[in-house]
């Protein structure tokens, strides 16, 4: 993260991004006190209120995605555009959370839960990039203490149905777990249809059916792999990876947490 200091804070373009979001006054004093990105991020997330810290985390994600689009796709957006993207993305999420708290004060909070000791949990999700016409997948593995193990993203240049995309994401996550010789893994997907199909006698000749049969065959070979349904609110790390997959090479594996999920990982491990 030290090497990413200039990407997030150390060049003129990123200064314009922070000004566009109204966060420059939050960051400027810390630039005088800290000299690496991790220290600045930790200080803001631990000392600022949740609204400011969340807005800051979204801006980091937007800047990082823009940087990757420049590197991998030779596409770059203006600082003012990035600032507005971050502002509206955070406002949408924050407003939804506040309304849920007000109107559903007695509702059970849905959150990511760690697996039992000795197990790993892999959250999986799929999404679409309508601008670039891609189907995206993302998955993240954590241990029983919520510690990051690895993550992966993938995308391809054709649209699939949502259930096909979700099934493909799950299959790729399972294959990744096999390749890394993980022994006990719970896979969580927020696609109830996919999970139900896996646990039923699903048959057919469609692409979706073939994916389900392939997953079922893998689960028969690896009896300590389990597939479960989880609500979207408890699957946000995988959701964020799927949303940003196009910012990376066509298929990418992370041995360290990418910036787009760092804030979520910290928040969900508390």
């Amino acid at each position: 993260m030290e090497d990413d200091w200039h990407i997030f804070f150390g060049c003129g373009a990123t200064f314009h991004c922070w000004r566009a979001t109204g966060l420059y006054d939050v960051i400027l004093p810390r630039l005088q006190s800290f000299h690496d990105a991790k220290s600045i991020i930790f200080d803001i997330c631990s000392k600022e209120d949740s609204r400011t810290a969340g807005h800051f985390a979204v801006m980091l994600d937007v800047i990082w995605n823009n940087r990757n689009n420049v590197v991998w796709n030779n596409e770059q957006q203006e600082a003012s555009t990035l600032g507005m993207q971050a502002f509206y993305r955070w406002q949408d999420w924050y407003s939804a959370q506040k309304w849920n708290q007000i109107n559903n004060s007695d509702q059970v909070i849905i959150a990511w839960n760690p697996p039992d000791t000795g197990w790993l949990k892999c959250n999986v999700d799929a999404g679409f990039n309508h601008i670039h016409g891609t189907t995206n997948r993302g998955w993240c593995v954590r241990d029983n203490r919520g510690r990051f193990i690895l993550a992966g993203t993938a995308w391809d240049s054709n649209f699939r149905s949502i259930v096909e995309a979700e099934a493909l994401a799950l299959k790729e996550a399972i294959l990744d777990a096999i390749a890394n010789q993980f022994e006990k893994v719970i896979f969580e997907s927020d696609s109830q249809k996919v999970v139900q199909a896996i646990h039923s006698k699903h048959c057919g000749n469609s692409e979706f059916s073939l994916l389900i049969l392939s997953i079922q065959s893998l689960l028969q070979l690896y009896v300590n792999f389990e597939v479960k349904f989880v609500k979207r609110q408890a699957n946000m790390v995988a959701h964020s990876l799927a949303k940003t997959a196009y910012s990376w090479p066509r298929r990418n594996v992370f041995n360290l947490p990418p910036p787009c999920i760092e804030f979520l990982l910290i928040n969900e491990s508390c």
Side-chain angles (χ1 to χ4, degrees):
M1 181 62 73
E2 287 81 358
D3 294 337
D4 296 332
W5 190 93
H6 289 286
I7 294 174
F8 292 127
F9 310 110
C11 66
T14 55
F15 287 155
H16 290 301
C17 291
W18 295 118
R19 286 195 179 97
T21 60
L23 291 170
Y24 191 67
D25 290 340
V26 174
I27 295 168
L28 182 59
R30 292 173 166 93
L31 293 178
Q32 300 167 354
S33 302
F34 302 106
H35 301 286
D36 63 275
K38 183 177 289 186
S39 297
I40 294 174
I41 292 170
F42 180 80
D43 195 66
I44 290 176
C45 291
S46 60
K47 294 181 180 179
E48 299 292 338
D49 59 66
S50 60
R51 184 187 182 98
T52 301
H55 194 183
F56 170 74
V58 171
M59 191 67 242
L60 286 180
D61 183 24
V62 169
I63 291 175
W64 187 257
N65 289 337
N66 183 64
R67 176 261 185 193
N68 288 332
N69 276 329
V70 173
V71 172
W72 299 109
N73 306 311
N74 197 30
E75 298 177 1
Q76 184 173 13
Q77 292 181 306
E78 294 182 357
S80 58
T81 301
L82 297 176
M84 293 305 294
Q85 283 181 5
F87 177 79
Y88 287 117
R89 188 189 299 180
W90 170 246
Q91 282 291 100
D92 288 344
W93 185 88
Y94 187 81
S95 297
Q97 298 304 308
K98 295 300 290 184
W99 275 110
N100 285 338
Q101 291 175 13
I102 294 172
N103 296 328
N104 302 291
S105 57
D106 296 329
Q107 187 175 357
V108 176
I109 297 175
I110 301 172
W112 183 85
N113 289 311
D116 292 335
T117 302
W119 284 76
L120 299 175
K121 178 172 284 189
C122 179
N123 288 85
V124 181
D125 202 9
F128 303 98
N129 187 318
H130 295 281
I131 296 175
H132 299 286
T134 61
T135 299
N136 303 343
R137 282 90 68 194
W139 57 94
C140 181
V141 181
R142 284 173 278 182
D143 66 11
N144 64 293
R145 296 176 62 183
R147 293 175 298 192
F148 176 90
I149 303 298
L150 64 80
T153 58
W155 58 268
D156 50 57
S157 300
N158 62 292
F159 277 138
R160 300 172 181 267
S161 70
I162 183 60
V163 290
E164 288 175 2
E166 296 281 2
L168 181 59
L170 179 58
K171 180 180 178 180
E172 290 177 332
I174 292 173
L175 291 173
D176 208 21
I178 294 171
N180 283 278
Q181 299 182 334
F182 296 150
E183 296 181 355
K184 296 181 177 180
V185 187
I186 297 171
F187 297 88
E188 288 187 339
S189 168
D190 57 27
S191 174
Q192 193 165 29
K193 185 172 183 178
V194 169
V195 175
Q196 288 175 342
I198 289 169
H199 293 297
S200 68
K201 295 181 179 180
H202 187 88
C203 60
N205 295 318
S206 67
E207 180 67 21
F208 175 67
S209 297
L210 295 175
L211 283 167
I212 295 300
L213 290 173
S214 179
I215 292 170
Q216 290 174 332
S217 297
L218 290 171
L219 294 176
Q220 289 175 358
L221 292 173
Y222 295 88
V223 295
N224 286 323
F225 285 3
E226 300 179 8
V227 175
K228 297 183 178 181
F229 169 72
V230 68
K231 294 284 189 179
R232 168 62 62 81
Q233 296 95 317
N235 203 40
M236 291 306 298
V237 167
H239 179 67
S240 296
L241 286 167
K243 283 185 65 176
T244 58
Y246 186 74
S247 301
W248 310 96
R250 188 175 292 269
R251 181 176 175 83
N252 202 47
V253 175
F254 304 90
N255 293 311
L256 294 173
C260 64
I261 62 171
E262 277 197 331
F263 180 76
L264 287 169
L265 291 172
I266 294 170
N267 187 51
E268 292 183 349
S269 64
C270 295

